[in-house]
Amino acid sequence: MKPAKTILLLFLCATAFGFTRSANHWEKLFNGKDLTGWDTYLGPDLDDTGKPITGQPLGLNNDPHHVFTIVKENGENIIRISGENWGAISTQKEYENYHLQIQFKWGALTWGQKKGKKKDSGLLYHSVGKYGADYGAWMRSHEFQIEEGNCGDYWGVAGGMADMAVIKKSETEYVYSPKGMFTTFKEGSKQGRRCIKQRDAENPSGQWNTLDLYCHGDTSIHVINGKVMMVLYHQKQMDNGQELPLNKGKIQIQSEGAEIYYRQIKIQAIDHLPAEMINQ
């Protein structure tokens, strides 16, 4: 573990010189009509306990249960993810150095092992490698958690790893704090691959929320409804026993046992991170 203040000061100095904010040049990732520009991937059908029924994934662009559909609400087309199967939609392009903004709200349904529990989804970014690498459903990536009560958490997916400044609350709970000690979160480590966000900012179930993700170099910022949840540094991946950079890739949006809606998905390139968010 390293003191957070030293790295934060160096980062702020680096962003203070020679940079200006990018103008707003948004690209829509959801065209408001269909899933053009996205692929779907679904893991195996699961029983009510979460065990695979056949063990065979439904695979790429095969959605017999209509997990991913476009529905109309108040005259606007939005994406509905039923959550019935575990999987994701993923962009066909890779992205790096960007500001991504998404709006989401919860539906009513839950399925399988998630039935009656916290509704769950997630934004998986810098996604690389094979489909189904984690839980038979998702590519290697960093997760911006979207789960009731836990929106903004970090989870390293299939070898994704990052450093965060944290305060240790228990043997299994580490909470982000700009005043904490830098700790690496990865699968197999003592602290594990989950870092808890520093505050709650999610709106009540059924209301729309705005998620902002800022990525530049090997650093990213998770923001819910305008409030910073955490800042992540030194983003990497464990690949065949080697630690390699993981700072670009596809964007996945999960189906994970709960009905959820998404709209107004857009992205723009940035040449730096907003410095005013680093120490919030």
Side-chain angles (χ1 to χ4, degrees):
M1 294 186 183
K2 302 179 182 69
K5 284 186 178 179
T6 301
I7 296 180
L8 286 171
L9 285 171
L10 290 172
F11 182 89
L12 290 171
C13 289
T15 58
F17 297 97
F19 293 104
T20 57
R21 271 184 183 263
S22 296
N24 288 335
H25 296 295
W26 292 104
E27 172 193 351
K28 292 182 179 179
L29 294 185
F30 172 48
N31 63 16
K33 299 176 183 178
D34 53 36
L35 291 176
T36 297
W38 299 79
D39 289 316
T40 70
Y41 185 88
L42 291 169
D45 283 323
L46 305 175
D47 64 20
D48 285 345
T49 68
K51 293 181 180 179
I53 295 173
T54 66
Q56 293 298 316
L58 295 176
L60 191 64
N61 296 320
N62 180 32
D63 184 9
H65 305 307
H66 305 292
V67 173
F68 309 106
T69 56
I70 309 301
V71 299
K72 191 175 289 292
E73 180 184 74
N74 298 324
E76 178 186 16
N77 286 337
I78 60 178
I79 299 170
R80 176 184 182 261
I81 298 179
S82 73
E84 183 176 357
N85 289 77
W86 286 26
I89 56 173
S90 61
T91 58
Q92 293 171 346
K93 294 181 181 179
E94 292 191 344
Y95 297 91
E96 63 179 323
N97 298 330
Y98 59 82
H99 172 196
L100 175 71
Q101 187 175 90
I102 295 177
Q103 292 188 353
F104 70 91
K105 72 173 182 176
W106 297 109
L109 300 177
T110 53
W111 306 83
Q113 69 187 93
K114 298 280 186 175
K115 194 169 184 64
K117 298 180 180 178
K118 290 181 178 181
K119 297 185 182 75
D120 200 358
S121 182
L123 170 68
L124 310 184
Y125 59 100
H126 300 345
S127 301
V128 298
K130 66 178 183 179
Y131 292 95
D134 205 330
Y135 290 97
W138 307 299
M139 303 165 71
R140 178 179 299 152
S141 52
H142 305 297
E143 179 171 3
F144 186 142
Q145 179 67 273
I146 302 172
E147 182 183 53
E148 287 182 310
N150 299 317
C151 286
D153 285 4
Y154 173 77
W155 185 269
V157 180
M161 52 195 292
D163 293 347
M164 277 78 82
V166 297
I167 295 173
K168 184 178 180 180
K169 294 294 186 180
S170 71
E171 287 302 314
T172 58
E173 292 188 326
Y174 295 79
V175 179
Y176 173 80
S177 170
K179 298 179 181 178
M181 299 293 290
F182 265 86
T183 304
T184 301
F185 289 85
K186 63 179 180 179
E187 188 173 7
S189 66
K190 181 180 178 181
Q191 53 271 15
R193 49 180 172 157
R194 179 197 179 198
C195 179
I196 301 171
K197 47 52 167 139
Q198 66 175 330
R199 53 168 69 104
D200 294 324
E202 184 185 350
N203 292 326
S205 187
Q207 295 184 18
W208 287 103
N209 299 272
T210 299
L211 175 158
D212 288 280
L213 171 66
Y214 296 87
C215 299
H216 191 269
D218 64 357
T219 305
S220 66
I221 306 173
H222 293 184
V223 182
I224 295 285
N225 294 324
K227 296 182 189 253
V228 174
M229 300 292 105
M230 64 175 61
V231 182
L232 302 87
Y233 299 89
H234 311 136
Q235 292 175 319
K236 293 181 285 189
Q237 59 180 310
M238 188 63 70
D239 185 21
N240 293 321
Q242 283 189 299
E243 291 187 7
L244 301 173
L246 185 55
N247 51 28
K248 66 178 180 179
K250 296 181 178 182
I251 296 164
Q252 300 176 91
I253 301 176
Q254 289 180 309
S255 173
E256 194 177 358
E259 183 182 37
I260 190 169
Y261 298 91
Y262 289 94
R263 69 179 186 182
Q264 297 181 22
I265 305 172
K266 58 186 182 179
I267 195 168
Q268 65 176 341
I270 59 174
D271 58 14
H272 72 292
L273 295 169
E276 67 273 15
M277 290 186 175
I278 297 298
N279 208 27
Q280 287 188 24

